[in-house]
Amino acid sequence: SHHEGDRSGAPVTREREREDSSSLSGLFLLAMVLADLGGRISAALRTMTTNTILDEEAVDAMLKEIGTALLAADVNIKLVAKLRKNVKNRINLDELATGMNRRKMIQQAVFDELCDMLSPPVKPYVPKKGRPNVIMFVGLQGSGKTTSCTKFALHYHRKSWKTALVCADTFRAGAFDQLKQNATKARIPFYGSYTERDPVKIAQDGVDMFKAEGQEIIIVDTSGRHKQEASLFEEMQQISAAVSPDDVVFVLDSSIGQAAQDQAQAFKETVSVGSVIMTKLDGHAKGGGALSAVAATESPIVFIGTGEHFDDFEVFEVRSFVSRLLGMGDVGGLMNAIKDAGLDKQPELYQKLQQGVFTLRDMYEQFQNVMKMGPLGKVMSMIPGMSAMMTKGKEHESQARFKKFMTIMDSMNDDELDTENTTKMMTESRVFRIAQGSGSHPQHVWELLEEFKRFQKMVGKMKHLKIGKNGEMPQMNRNQKQAMQQMGKCLDPRMLKQIGGMSGLQSLMKSMNGMDMSAFGGLE
């Protein structure tokens, strides 16, 4: 706000937003460099452990703490008890007592156990190209089923599959309108009827029509009910018998928590649920319901929905999900996001980092890069320890802040964008002109310049890392300890603390070990 009376509360919010956006942008810049180094120094990092005296009591206390956290995430109490028992069986106290990092070893054991629990013995159905794959969606009303149908269709459509949607939901008023609107927006063919009341006939006709058209993925959206009713299950069985689906996808609202187990079981007993899509994972449930549902149905989760938008949908990858669930980040996911956004090879950026040169135009490009990687909250959760820095519900504000800064920079001339001394050349009249041109308040322009100063300071420090044109760092091979310390100095102290200090930075590097690093420049 620009009003004088609002000032008391504004700086706090702005400071928090600034931490969110500059932390991510800063760590993103460093991540580009780290990606190139992971494989080289991982061998040295393996030997870096913390000495800890460990006894049975300490392990029990740690497991109790983990159990409490899982219960708070609404994981079924029986599953938590089983997990604690299995984790204890995985830990060899004699082995741990010889100086391994207790917390990390136990975290790893919990991580492995959760992964096992979330990896059912059954593999999900894999659609086959060049032939029709009929996928039937089932779930309760309000679970996000219709939206998930469109997200699912769009996911495959973007991968060059011919996809189509059939609305066989005649129970809910407005169901066909919603599917029609979604499908039109996503440019996906659809079929439904305002007059036919028999969902079985609609499903049959729609599937037959799209098969004749040569569609490869035909999604049938079925009716939901507010609770598990006999009529719902009967209808599901009739549609299933009519269209003979290759896969039945059960859409589950994660916010119902432990109730997910009974619901999942009831559906599994009626139709052969082959896979699960969890929705509303941007809410408070933290995936506790996911654990219960998968353990109950032994059906693999294939996708997770994390918001209303079509892009808030991601392939479910057990290890990265558990990693984020435990706040360990998902470095592999971060590297893939960098690669998917086409940001893995930036020789010009490396050259500038090498020289310690950074302009407003460079900052504009980095903001663009972060935006390309997807929703801000999701990217933050991939960085170990950083999800805590992103205030819940503030992700969109931080994203809007990036956009606002970019709009301001769009109103600058080439001199202002390309000189290193932008802050020195900024007079009141220039700031006023830029603010007017971008439809913003002069205060916002000054905030942008403050952000830029922080960036410049960090890039100035990165010059000492002696980064090569492909992102390689020769001094890493010569003096790893010194290079790591130098890298730590590049980060904002708050951010370094958030990822666990120097040992956290080393762990981040170690996490990159074992990934396919060949995609990132600078590795032989």
Side-chain angles (χ1 to χ4, degrees):
S1 175
H2 309 146
H3 299 294
E4 201 66 37
D6 293 335
R7 280 213 168 150
S8 57
V12 182
T13 313
R14 277 206 293 270
E15 184 58 37
R16 186 66 201 210
E17 283 179 6
R18 199 155 48 230
E19 283 181 26
D20 289 346
S21 53
S22 61
S23 295
L24 176 61
S25 310
L27 198 63
F28 171 77
L29 257 179
L30 196 63
M32 306 287 291
V33 181
L34 292 181
D36 294 326
L37 303 173
R40 295 175 183 234
I41 64 167
S42 55
L45 289 174
R46 282 192 205 105
T47 61
M48 294 183 191
T49 51
T50 309
N51 290 318
T52 310
I53 297 167
L54 199 124
D55 57 13
E56 193 95 16
E57 203 178 319
V59 172
D60 287 339
M62 180 72 77
L63 285 174
K64 190 179 176 189
E65 191 185 313
I66 287 164
T68 306
L70 288 169
L71 287 170
D74 210 21
V75 176
N76 184 290
I77 193 161
K78 287 179 186 168
L79 289 178
V80 174
K82 183 184 168 195
L83 180 124
R84 281 176 65 170
K85 184 183 167 196
N86 290 356
V87 167
K88 210 161 176 189
N89 291 340
R90 278 179 186 261
I91 295 168
N92 183 331
L93 272 183
D94 297 331
E95 189 183 303
L96 284 177
T98 58
M100 296 296 276
N101 184 322
R102 171 184 70 168
R103 187 172 284 273
K104 287 218 174 69
M105 286 297 291
I106 293 174
Q107 191 182 44
Q108 188 60 47
V110 172
F111 176 77
D112 292 340
E113 193 56 42
L114 283 172
C115 285
D116 285 355
M117 200 181 281
L118 272 170
S119 306
V122 187
K123 292 279 178 250
Y125 173 75
V126 179
K128 293 164 187 68
K129 203 98 167 86
R131 53 149 281 200
N133 299 267
V134 179
I135 319 281
M136 177 173 152
F137 273 57
V138 299
L140 291 191
Q141 199 165 310
S143 62
K145 183 162 45 62
T146 301
T147 306
S148 295
C149 284
T150 313
K151 289 177 174 181
F152 187 92
L154 191 57
H155 170 82
Y156 281 101
H157 177 70
R158 284 174 173 164
K159 293 179 179 289
S160 304
W161 289 69
K162 294 176 188 168
T163 61
L165 290 158
V166 178
C167 178
D169 180 355
T170 55
F171 180 79
R172 179 169 66 95
F176 180 42
D177 281 329
Q178 187 195 349
L179 185 129
K180 184 178 175 180
Q181 196 179 351
N182 284 352
T184 305
K185 197 174 168 186
R187 296 184 177 177
I188 286 162
F190 61 91
Y191 179 85
S193 173
Y194 286 114
T195 51
E196 178 60 65
R197 301 310 300 157
D198 179 6
V200 181
K201 184 168 183 351
I202 294 174
Q204 182 76 70
D205 291 350
V207 168
D208 288 348
M209 183 184 93
F210 287 131
K211 276 184 175 177
E213 284 181 11
Q215 300 291 352
E216 295 168 310
I217 289 187
I218 303 165
I219 298 154
V220 180
D221 184 17
T222 63
S223 302
R225 297 286 190 278
H226 287 299
K227 58 183 193 297
Q228 286 127 246
E229 293 172 17
S231 58
L232 165 66
F233 290 138
E234 196 180 322
E235 189 179 297
M236 273 165 33
Q237 284 172 325
Q238 287 172 349
I239 293 175
S240 179
V243 302
S244 305
D246 294 287
D247 189 23
V248 176
V249 175
F250 172 47
V251 180
L252 180 69
D253 173 354
S254 69
S255 67
I256 66 169
Q258 290 193 34
Q261 185 154 353
D262 295 336
Q263 199 187 110
Q265 200 59 56
F267 273 86
K268 178 85 172 175
E269 283 165 11
T270 308
V271 283
S272 66
V273 172
S275 26
V276 176
I277 289 178
M278 295 288 302
T279 61
K280 306 181 190 176
L281 267 165
D282 52 330
H284 59 273
K286 297 182 188 170
L291 301 177
S292 306
V294 171
T297 64
E298 292 198 331
S299 300
I301 296 176
V302 284
F303 288 95
I304 52 177
T306 54
E308 291 292 308
H309 303 290
F310 290 160
D311 287 334
D312 298 336
F313 194 62
E314 55 183 277
V315 175
F316 180 74
E317 208 285 311
V318 174
R319 296 184 75 79
S320 81
F321 176 78
V322 173
S323 193
R324 281 184 273 168
L325 185 76
L326 296 178
M328 291 159 66
D330 172 20
V331 179
L334 180 67
M335 295 301 108
N336 286 336
I338 289 173
K339 192 180 170 193
D340 289 347
L343 311 175
D344 46 325
K345 290 183 175 66
Q346 294 197 79
E348 287 160 20
L349 172 69
Y350 290 134
Q351 196 175 351
K352 293 198 168 195
L353 293 177
Q354 193 179 32
Q355 295 162 356
V357 173
F358 198 73
T359 65
L360 271 167
R361 196 183 297 279
D362 295 323
M363 188 163 90
Y364 186 96
E365 283 171 10
Q366 288 314 310
F367 283 171
Q368 272 184 322
N369 288 343
V370 172
M371 306 282 270
K372 275 185 204 169
M373 288 170 65
L376 207 50
K378 180 178 155 188
V379 177
M380 285 290 263
S381 73
M382 292 176 180
I383 303 165
M386 290 300 285
S387 53
M389 237 175 152
M390 177 63 78
T391 318
K392 193 70 195 158
K394 293 279 185 188
E395 301 95 329
H396 295 297
E397 284 179 36
S398 297
Q399 199 111 349
R401 186 177 162 81
F402 277 150
K403 286 179 181 170
K404 181 174 74 183
F405 282 165
M406 288 166 79
T407 304
I408 292 170
M409 288 188 268
D410 283 334
S411 288
M412 293 181 178
N413 60 36
D414 288 345
D415 283 348
E416 289 156 351
L417 287 172
D418 294 322
T419 178
E420 285 179 75
N421 299 319
T422 305
T423 44
K424 286 182 184 168
M425 71 188 287
M426 279 297 169
T427 57
E428 292 281 343
S429 59
R430 274 184 194 261
V431 168
F432 186 71
R433 188 204 86 233
I434 292 163
Q436 270 200 317
S438 59
S440 48
H441 192 273
Q443 179 59 34
H444 294 150
V445 182
W446 290 117
E447 280 176 26
L448 165 66
L449 294 171
E450 280 301 308
E451 179 92 348
F452 175 59
K453 267 196 243 177
R454 267 193 295 276
F455 255 91
Q456 272 196 319
K457 194 175 171 186
M458 189 183 82
V459 171
K461 290 176 182 174
M462 288 177 99
K463 180 168 71 172
H464 303 296
L465 292 172
K466 296 185 172 60
I467 300 159
K469 63 178 180 180
N470 294 316
E472 72 277 13
M473 275 174 57
Q475 77 177 94
M476 236 345 143
N477 297 329
R478 292 198 293 273
N479 190 340
Q480 288 167 351
K481 192 176 177 185
Q482 190 185 348
M484 287 299 289
Q485 283 169 345
Q486 195 64 57
M487 209 178 283
K489 284 179 191 171
C490 294
L491 289 175
D492 180 309
R494 284 189 315 258
M495 198 196 312
L496 187 61
K497 184 183 174 187
Q498 205 65 43
I499 61 174
M502 285 306 294
S503 64
L505 185 58
Q506 289 166 359
S507 299
L508 185 63
M509 300 293 291
K510 191 174 179 182
S511 303
M512 292 174 179
N513 180 41
M515 296 188 315
D516 177 15
M517 301 302 294
S518 60
F520 303 98
L523 288 179
E524 276 93 55

